[in-house]
Amino acid sequence: MSEIARVLKTFIGYLKRPDLYPELGRKIIKNIFKRNSAFKGKEKTNLWASQVAVSQENAIRKLFNLDFQLFSEKYPQEFQKALEKQNNCPIKMGGAGALELLYSACEFTQAKAVIETGVAYGWSSFATLTSLQKRNGTLYSSDMPYLGQNGDQYVGCIVPEDLKTNWKLFRHADRESLPKILKESGEIDVIHYDSDKSYEGMRWGYETLYPRLRKGGVFISDDINDNSAFQDFCERENIATTVVEYEGKYIGVFVK
Ligand SMILES: C[S@@+](CC[C@H](N)C(=O)[O-])C[C@H]1O[C@@H](n2cnc3c(N)ncnc32)[C@H](O)[C@@H]1O
């Protein structure tokens, strides 16, 4: 699909969803006035991250004092079924991330309440819910689907049915979803940020979510290498963060 066709399809997708008009307005303003701000500080952060990064395995041991085990080996049947669902899904979205880090963060905190931004197929939701279900906890997720691919109905499609009773999925842009989520949730044990990767989007997301994370809770952000939003946030808040290198990208993780 050409770039123009993709933009047009996304625009038509937005027009069909009046509840996403606020995000459409923000995107138009961003694309006209702040085109380059998405990558602000990228070079600085990549240099820093490459100097301090550790493996997922090391981070799990150091931060949570837990042994590393592949999620796919711990839950082989469930994982296989999810993989089949992904393969049968007619649209393409972002695949599985560092599931072990997320699952271990939930086990470490004995999580009862987790917020995640960004769902796509639902791999991170699947790993989080697998831990949360043991304590009948709740996962609050925010996702604005891939509008260019008519992907609305497939958001979270790989999440096993029996885990869905512990899941509240808010299907709007974060700026609409997160205030609603924070209104109905209390203190949060784990926060996983994995949605809007623009500098402003990340900064807003971190500043909105962080105050609600309980002391001893775990904060995880994917793709911190896209710009310096995560590094700048940690410096402002005086947070000593761990950086995990995962499949050529960097993930930020710290215990509050
Ligand atoms: C990388 S994927 C999430 C992957 C998922 N966390 C996982 O590990 O399996 C990012 C998702 O964030 C969504 N997204 C992007 N910008 C958003 C926004 N402003 N508000 C809500 N969701 C957004 C995308 O539609 C996409 O589904």
Side-chain angles (χ1 to χ4, degrees):
M1 199 178 355
S2 77
E3 180 64 10
I4 293 178
R6 196 187 58 76
V7 171
L8 205 65
K9 255 195 121 185
T10 303
F11 186 65
I12 292 167
Y14 267 114
L15 291 183
K16 287 187 197 155
R17 289 273 309 261
D19 52 324
L20 293 178
Y21 285 0
E23 182 69 9
L24 174 63
R26 287 189 291 268
K27 282 237 153 49
I28 291 172
I29 290 171
K30 193 165 74 187
N31 279 316
I32 295 174
F33 300 109
K34 304 177 185 167
R35 270 200 92 76
N36 293 324
S37 72
F39 306 113
K40 187 174 146 190
K42 186 175 170 150
E43 245 177 72
K44 164 185 95 168
T45 289
N46 276 273
L47 181 64
W48 163 71
S50 66
Q51 286 164 348
V52 298
V54 298
S55 67
Q56 202 192 176
E57 198 169 343
N58 282 348
I60 288 171
R61 199 164 296 127
K62 182 184 94 175
L63 290 172
F64 310 145
N65 200 18
L66 290 172
D67 286 334
F68 177 85
Q69 185 181 9
L70 283 173
F71 188 74
S72 57
E73 286 177 5
K74 195 166 171 67
Y75 297 100
Q77 285 169 359
E78 294 84 347
F79 189 86
Q80 195 50 40
K81 273 191 201 149
L83 208 54
E84 280 161 23
K85 285 191 193 158
Q86 175 180 287
N87 293 340
N88 291 331
C89 179
I91 69 157
K92 290 292 150 247
M93 299 185 261
L99 303 183
E100 295 74 19
L101 188 67
L102 262 177
Y103 179 81
S104 305
C106 294
E107 293 290 293
F108 166 71
T109 55
Q110 290 292 290
K112 290 207 173 108
V114 177
I115 296 179
E116 73 170 352
T117 73
V119 175
Y121 288 116
W123 284 105
S124 53
S125 318
F126 172 28
T128 303
L129 283 163
T130 301
S131 172
L132 274 174
Q133 197 194 39
K134 300 181 195 176
R135 296 168 291 280
N136 199 21
T138 306
L139 170 63
Y140 302 88
S141 302
S142 160
D143 193 284
M144 189 194 71
Y146 289 55
L147 294 170
Q149 300 189 61
N150 298 328
D152 234 5
Q153 60 189 299
Y154 300 108
V155 168
C157 66
I158 64 111
V159 174
E161 283 306 313
D162 65 308
L163 296 181
K164 288 187 178 165
T165 46
N166 294 82
W167 195 22
K168 295 193 175 180
L169 173 57
F170 292 69
R171 303 163 62 96
H172 300 107
D174 290 343
R175 298 219 186 204
E176 276 68 52
S177 290
L178 291 183
K180 285 188 194 137
I181 289 175
L182 292 175
K183 216 172 188 180
E184 74 168 83
S185 58
E187 267 201 331
I188 301 299
D189 302 297
V190 176
I191 287 169
H192 176 217
Y193 186 91
D194 193 16
S195 51
D196 181 355
K197 302 293 165 54
S198 68
Y199 187 98
E200 269 313 305
M202 291 169 107
R203 190 187 61 78
W204 181 85
Y206 300 156
E207 287 176 359
T208 302
L209 292 167
Y210 179 69
R212 195 55 83 77
L213 184 67
R214 73 161 166 89
K215 202 167 183 309
V218 177
F219 193 102
I220 300 174
S221 176
D222 275 41
D223 299 322
I224 62 163
N225 46 287
D226 284 0
N227 53 57
S228 64
F230 184 78
Q231 184 186 11
D232 296 346
F233 173 75
C234 289
E235 280 171 11
R236 264 196 317 277
E237 296 287 338
N238 243 326
I239 293 164
T241 187
T242 297
V243 174
V244 174
E245 183 171 14
Y246 184 79
E247 296 186 341
K249 294 178 174 186
Y250 294 108
I251 301 170
V253 52
F254 62 82
V255 179
K256 187 170 180 181

